[in-house]
Amino acid sequence: METNLKNKVAIVTGSSFGIGKSTAIEFAKGGAKVVLADVNADDTTAQEIAKLGGEYLVIPCDVSIETEVKNLVDQTLATFGRLDLAFNNAGIEGASMPLTEYTDEHWDQLMNINLKGVWYGMKYQIPAMLKTGGGSIVNNASIAGLVGFAGAPAYVASKHAVVGLTKNAALDFAKQNIRVNAVCPGIIHTPMIDRFAAGNPETLSQLAAGEPIGRIGLPQEIATTVIFLCSEAASFITGQAIAVDGGWTTQ
């Protein structure tokens, strides 16, 4: 599979941990210059890329604030002169409760990060990519963008909306050499899953047992899918929501 990304510039939101961190590192391994965007101040991703000899830029960014997302893209262009690839990954799981118990605060916080963050990202990433002839965007949607989960009304709604927004953007810009796809991870061993399991090995075992493949996925397995979708190897793929879930959604 040809995934040479040399001379490409990639933005990764939510780059400090989990899937975002793994994807940023894989971008760097492929030769891309990577812009690390996260609301957290963790710099271990940058340290890993530095060890690889890769080029990177760290920009603190809250994706729920439009001016910060605009600044992220502006600073990317000011530093590297172009933008070719983007992984809109930042997201939160939100409160777990029935929809009848949700408050405006619960709902709005999750929608502002999970959905508006993706919209703001594409709103500024796409014009930047058009300046240099096109690009590829991958949005992180989750299998919760394909099926429902009890007790997660806003999360499920936000991720279904990300899938719909991905398809719309793909159609709007297909003829301008912009490809837009979504990746839909299953149960992946990330800090989000660790919070859900609350350190209980039995809970992790139960999650693994629910996967037809018999185990929980790894962040790198999502990262390699993102890299594929961003590469020329996926040049005829756009508007798709790709489940990387060990067979979970086939049940």
Side-chain angles (χ1 to χ4, degrees):
M1 183 177 69
E2 178 55 55
T3 57
N4 182 5
L5 303 177
K6 190 174 181 180
N7 298 321
K8 301 290 188 182
V9 177
I11 285 176
V12 178
T13 67
S15 62
S16 290
F17 306 100
I19 293 169
K21 179 177 182 177
S22 289
T23 303
I25 291 169
E26 289 301 314
F27 271 131
K29 287 180 179 178
K33 302 169 185 176
V34 190
V35 181
L36 306 172
D38 203 298
V39 72
N40 297 298
D42 185 272
D43 65 352
T44 57
T45 308
Q47 292 170 6
E48 291 293 325
I49 292 175
K51 289 177 184 177
L52 295 170
E55 289 189 61
Y56 64 89
L57 176 66
V58 178
I59 302 178
C61 180
D62 181 340
V63 298
S64 69
I65 301 174
E66 184 173 4
T67 54
E68 293 198 15
V69 178
K70 180 180 184 299
N71 176 69
L72 169 63
V73 176
D74 287 346
Q75 290 300 312
T76 298
L77 296 178
T79 302
F80 295 123
R82 62 185 299 125
L83 176 63
D84 305 283
L85 314 168
F87 181 37
N88 293 310
N89 164 71
I92 60 172
E93 66 269 35
S96 178
M97 62 183 75
L99 67 86
T100 51
E101 298 177 22
Y102 250 65
T103 65
D104 282 353
E105 182 180 5
H106 289 139
W107 187 272
D108 290 344
Q109 181 196 29
L110 196 143
M111 287 295 180
N112 285 343
I113 295 171
N114 289 10
L115 180 55
K116 271 192 174 181
V118 173
W119 169 45
Y120 288 153
M122 293 196 293
K123 181 177 180 178
Y124 293 101
Q125 292 156 5
I126 290 172
M129 291 176 178
L130 290 174
K131 291 178 181 179
T132 47
S136 179
I137 296 171
V138 179
N139 299 320
N140 198 348
S142 164
I143 53 172
L146 304 174
V147 297
F149 284 87
Y155 186 78
V156 169
S158 72
K159 294 302 186 177
H160 272 69
V162 166
V163 170
L165 188 60
T166 296
K167 293 177 181 292
N168 179 263
L171 290 175
D172 278 349
F173 296 97
K175 288 183 171 61
Q176 294 167 271
N177 198 33
I178 301 285
R179 294 189 299 106
V180 187
N181 291 289
V183 66
C184 300
I187 308 302
I188 308 298
H189 201 159
T190 64
M192 185 180 291
I193 290 299
D194 286 337
R195 287 192 294 272
F196 176 80
N200 187 339
E202 185 175 327
T203 300
L204 291 175
S205 295
Q206 290 172 348
L207 291 171
E211 287 280 7
I213 206 167
R215 64 175 175 83
I216 293 173
L218 301 174
Q220 188 175 3
E221 293 175 301
I222 308 303
T224 53
T225 304
V226 175
I227 298 302
F228 165 69
L229 290 171
C230 283
S231 74
E232 286 303 308
S235 59
F236 202 55
I237 301 175
T238 194
Q240 301 305 304
I242 309 295
V244 189
D245 66 352
W248 202 95
T249 53
T250 65
Q251 299 179 100

